[in-house]
Amino acid sequence: MGIFEFERIKSLINKYIESPKSTIIDVGGGTGKYSEWLAKKGHTVHLIEPVNKHVTLAENRARKLKNKFSVHLGEARKLSLPDNFADVLILHGPLYHLQEKKDREAAIREALRVLKKDGVILGFAINYSATTLVGLLNGLIHKPSFFGMCKEELKSGVHNPPVDFPWLLAEAYYHKPNELKAEFVEQGCTYINTYAVEGMIWLDKDFFGSMANEKKKNTLMELARITENDNNLLTFSPHMMIAVKK
C-alpha cells in the first residue's frame, strides 16, 4: 500500500497549499519523503523529527536538493519555532504516537502557536478499526492475543502490540473519526473536513492487480474520491487526514 498511500497523501496535502511559496512545517516527518517533495515544489519546509536516525537520513536527503529543507531534532509538544511562523503544519506521526490525550492536545496547541492566522493544520491519524479490518481479511483475528489487542483498540483506542506480534506498530493511539475532530475543536481550531486516506478501495480482493490495470485503477480512484468525506464510511479507511484552520 506504500506507493498508493504516498501519492494519495500528496494529493490531499495539495488541496490546502494555496501559495506556490508557502512556509510548511512537517512535524514527525520521519526521513523526509514529504519534506523533499514539498521543497522540490518550491516551498520553504522545516522538518521536525524526534528520532536521531531519521534526522540523519532526512539531512542526507535535504543535502541533495537545490531548494533544501531544514531538519530539526525535536518533537510535537515543544517546537523550536517562533509564533505565527507557518502557513501549513503537517502532523504526520504525533496524533498516533502520543497515546495520552493531554500530549496530543499539547501538540495541537503548539501547532496553533506557530501557525499564522488562517493557517492550516493537516493531521494524520490511524482509524480505531484499522487493525480489526486487517485481522478479518488475513485471519489473524482468530489469534487470541491479536483479537485481544483489537478489542482494546475498539473500546479505548489504545494500541499495544502483543509480544507474539513484534512486527506490529509500537504503542500508539487509534482514533474514532468524531473523536479526532473533537480533539482539534476543543483546542479552538476551526474544523474544515476529514478525509479517508486509503478509503475502502484497499478491500478490493485483488487490490495490487487492480492498481496495475489502468481501467480498474480509474474505477478504484473514482470510488476513493466520491467516498473520501463520507462520515459513514470513514471507518473502512486505515488512515484519516483532518484539516483544520487557526
Side-chain angles (χ1 to χ4, degrees):
M1 291 288 291
I3 295 173
F4 165 70
E5 184 182 340
F6 181 55
E7 295 301 322
R8 171 70 174 153
I9 287 175
K10 288 195 296 184
S11 72
L12 290 174
I13 291 173
N14 261 335
K15 291 176 183 283
Y16 291 96
I17 300 179
E18 296 180 354
S19 168
K21 298 287 184 180
S22 295
T23 298
I24 302 171
I25 307 172
D26 186 6
V27 182
T31 62
K33 284 183 68 178
Y34 293 99
S35 288
E36 177 185 36
W37 162 65
L38 290 164
K40 284 181 175 179
K41 289 170 68 68
H43 302 296
T44 300
V45 184
H46 304 275
L47 182 146
I48 313 291
E49 170 59 37
V51 179
N52 280 296
K53 180 181 178 182
H54 293 169
V55 167
T56 299
L57 293 170
E59 288 173 337
N60 292 337
R61 193 187 294 271
R63 203 172 291 122
K64 299 172 185 176
L65 301 179
K66 183 177 180 181
N67 179 38
K68 297 175 174 55
F69 59 90
S70 71
V71 181
H72 310 266
L73 181 67
E75 56 96 15
R77 291 166 294 179
K78 190 166 184 174
L79 302 174
S80 56
L81 294 166
D83 297 354
N84 307 308
F85 176 73
D87 302 295
V88 178
L89 185 142
I90 302 168
L91 286 172
H92 253 130
L95 293 179
Y96 48 88
H97 284 307
L98 296 172
Q99 274 192 326
E100 297 292 329
K101 184 180 180 183
K102 62 181 176 61
D103 292 323
R104 297 192 299 275
E105 290 173 341
I108 294 168
R109 287 194 298 270
E110 267 294 87
L112 289 170
R113 179 185 68 78
V114 302
L115 275 179
K116 298 174 184 175
K117 185 178 183 297
D118 294 324
V120 172
I121 303 172
L122 303 176
F124 291 87
I126 299 176
N127 219 311
Y128 81 120
S129 58
T131 313
T132 303
L133 287 171
V134 171
L136 285 167
L137 287 171
N138 61 23
L140 286 174
I141 200 72
H142 301 292
K143 303 287 185 181
S145 62
F146 192 95
F147 184 41
M149 174 187 65
C150 292
K151 287 191 290 185
E152 187 59 39
E153 291 167 4
L154 293 170
K155 181 177 70 175
S156 70
V158 174
H159 162 79
N160 289 309
V163 293
D164 52 336
F165 288 94
W167 46 268
L168 289 173
L169 182 70
E171 292 80 6
Y173 189 81
Y174 293 177
H175 282 84
K176 294 180 180 178
N178 59 345
E179 177 188 32
L180 178 64
K181 176 183 177 180
E183 287 189 358
F184 280 86
V185 172
E186 287 167 6
Q187 299 308 311
C189 301
T190 300
Y191 176 73
I192 303 173
N193 219 330
T194 304
Y195 298 82
V197 174
E198 302 89 348
M200 60 169 54
I201 68 173
W202 69 286
L203 296 171
D204 179 348
K205 65 179 183 179
D206 186 26
F207 174 78
F208 297 104
S210 295
M211 292 299 282
N213 177 291
E214 197 62 27
K215 184 177 179 181
K216 291 181 178 180
K217 178 182 178 181
N218 289 340
T219 298
L220 292 180
M221 295 308 296
E222 183 179 356
L223 177 60
R225 283 191 296 272
I226 65 176
T227 59
E228 66 182 9
N229 301 127
D230 189 327
N231 289 330
N232 294 311
L233 299 176
L234 278 174
T235 52
F236 287 103
S237 181
H239 297 90
M240 302 174 285
M241 185 191 86
I242 188 169
V244 299
K245 184 178 285 191
K246 178 175 177 178

